[in-house]
Amino acid sequence: KLDVRVLRYMSSEEFRVLTAVEMGSKNHVIVPTSLIAQIAGLRHGGVNKILGELAKKKLVAKVKNSMYDGYRLTYGGYDYLALKTFSRRGSIYSIGKQIGVGKESDVYLVADEEEIQSVLKIHRLGRVSFRAIKAQRDYLQNRKTASWLYMSRLAAMKEYAFMKILHEHGFPVPKPIDQSRHCVLMELIDAFPLREVIEVKNPGKLYSDLMDLIVRLASYGLIHGDFNEFNILLKEDGEPVLIDFPQMVSISHPNAEWYFNRDIECIRTFFRKRFGYESVLYPKFNLDVNR
Ligand code: ATP
Ligand code: MN
Ligand code: MN
Ligand code: MN
């Protein structure tokens, strides 16, 4: 869970040590205490005390290894560092309620100093498998945590890059605002997920808008890969906005046609079940994409 309270109670020395753990993580799954002291430029005794405090706040975790004692960064510590960066850049001033809990992310309403609201998506890969590997040996678990942080960062970077390019090319997606580590900050879309929409004025119009969007993306070389009622927000004026991009694939991907057809089929199934709407018209990968 994201705990904003710890943000206020950190000394500059604690921050220095936390940053040292992050830097050490680039080359070590478990960062040796001596290396942390060296990076932070503090005495060994002083560092131990501060690491103990950071561990109590669950920002780092102590790891006993057969070779040496050390620490690893936790999701809590990684959250802290990202939030600190957003706050320093003026992108985030306050954190509001959680608006989404996905399998692979936590989504929060946040605001800057002018009280302009935006959306913070924190990628959390590996959360499901955490429980499954609990029983496994410590070292393995620590190794996995380290690589999940890394994978989550990659997902955030990928999502931000896709959102930026799509927004710049006029696709209906949220405007990306900032990115740090495993987090993406984006425009808040005032809309409901299609999943929660019981009735629309003109299902045929929305259906063809969505099919057009899939084809437009493909003409641009991309397939969303998770194009469904959870990832489409419907504005009051009836315009759809697409979200959730880390899984996007290129139309030259070996399984591109399969992903493309699955996106189409998701929409067709949803419209049939929810609105009783079915059309004989739908885009075909070979005809509409590989023109
Ligand atoms: P899943 O696990 O289902 O794949 P996810 O973890 O990938 O989800 P998103 O789909 O990106 O996360 O976001 C989760 C939810 O948060 C969305 O369904 C939507 O309700 C809300 N949300 C995300 N981004 C925005 C936004 N820019 N504006 C408004 N609401 C948003
Ligand atoms: Mn826009
Ligand atoms: Mn989603
Ligand atoms: Mn997703």
Side-chain angles (χ1 to χ4, degrees):
K1 269 281 136 60
L2 191 69
D3 194 345
V4 211
R5 283 168 307 172
V6 298
L7 272 177
R8 300 194 194 112
Y9 305 129
M10 191 182 285
S11 68
S12 62
E13 273 196 332
E14 280 179 296
F15 182 66
R16 214 153 106 194
V17 172
L18 183 61
T19 305
V21 176
E22 183 186 37
M23 288 174 74
S25 303
K26 288 185 180 128
N27 300 312
H28 299 259
V29 172
I30 299 156
V31 192
T33 310
S34 56
L35 180 63
I36 299 169
Q38 195 191 322
I39 297 173
L42 294 167
R43 280 177 303 105
H44 202 87
V47 147
N48 267 320
K49 184 170 161 284
I50 294 166
L51 281 167
E53 277 154 18
L54 291 173
K56 225 180 338 180
K57 293 177 181 174
K58 297 202 161 62
L59 301 176
V60 299
K62 184 164 186 164
V63 185
K64 276 191 208 295
N65 179 318
S66 54
M67 315 284 285
Y68 57 83
D69 274 10
Y71 287 82
R72 66 167 168 84
L73 204 57
T74 62
Y75 261 120
Y78 212 38
D79 291 355
Y80 183 93
L81 289 164
L83 285 171
K84 186 90 176 176
T85 298
F86 287 135
S87 147
R88 185 167 42 74
R89 293 179 186 157
S91 311
I92 297 183
Y93 181 71
S94 64
I95 297 164
K97 67 167 190 195
Q98 189 166 2
I99 56 171
V101 199
K103 292 177 296 295
E104 296 167 329
S105 77
D106 290 328
V107 180
Y108 291 86
L109 212 53
V110 298
D112 66 12
E113 217 157 351
E114 270 90 56
E115 287 178 46
I116 295 171
Q117 291 189 313
S118 56
V119 167
L120 175 68
K121 178 169 176 180
I122 308 180
H123 287 264
R124 297 204 195 280
L125 296 183
R127 185 156 53 186
V128 182
S129 36
F130 268 155
R131 269 166 245 134
I133 62 164
K134 262 257 147 60
Q136 284 187 23
R137 283 170 50 221
D138 277 354
Y139 183 72
L140 224 60
Q141 182 159 355
N142 291 318
R143 224 191 150 77
K144 288 210 163 136
T145 306
S147 76
W148 285 126
L149 293 184
Y150 178 72
M151 300 297 279
S152 298
R153 175 167 157 262
L154 287 187
M157 291 168 69
K158 204 174 157 192
E159 176 154 60
Y160 184 81
F162 279 131
M163 226 188 281
K164 191 157 185 296
I165 200 99
L166 291 175
H167 189 261
E168 281 169 1
H169 284 78
F171 283 93
V173 304
K175 182 182 166 66
I177 298 169
D178 203 352
Q179 194 268 316
S180 171
R181 299 175 177 85
H182 58 331
C183 300
V184 176
L185 188 66
M186 67 184 114
E187 172 191 7
L188 167 67
I189 303 298
D190 185 16
F192 287 105
L194 189 54
R195 173 86 188 93
E196 287 168 30
V197 175
I198 307 296
E199 216 182 326
V200 290
K201 271 202 207 104
N202 188 345
K205 161 85 168 55
L206 181 60
Y207 174 88
S208 83
D209 283 352
L210 293 173
M211 293 302 168
D212 286 350
L213 183 52
I214 292 177
V215 171
R216 227 178 111 207
L217 279 169
S219 316
Y220 189 68
L222 293 168
I223 298 166
H224 184 274
D226 199 15
F227 201 97
N228 59 40
E229 64 272 25
F230 297 93
N231 293 330
I232 294 158
L233 307 178
L234 196 62
K235 293 197 288 188
E236 210 152 11
D237 64 6
E239 292 297 318
V241 177
L242 188 58
I243 58 166
D244 199 358
F245 309 98
Q247 71 291 319
M248 289 214 355
V249 296
S250 156
I251 51 159
S252 52
H253 186 283
N255 301 116
E257 183 165 3
W258 187 84
Y259 285 115
F260 180 88
N261 289 336
R262 189 178 64 175
D263 280 359
I264 301 278
E265 211 40 56
C266 274
I267 296 304
R268 289 178 61 76
T269 304
F270 178 76
F271 271 70
R272 193 166 56 235
K273 287 188 178 158
R274 178 64 57 90
F275 307 124
Y277 179 87
E278 202 160 2
S279 172
V280 290
L281 300 173
Y282 59 92
K284 318 283 187 298
F285 187 76
N286 290 312
L287 293 175
D288 296 290
V289 179
N290 296 335
R291 282 163 304 171

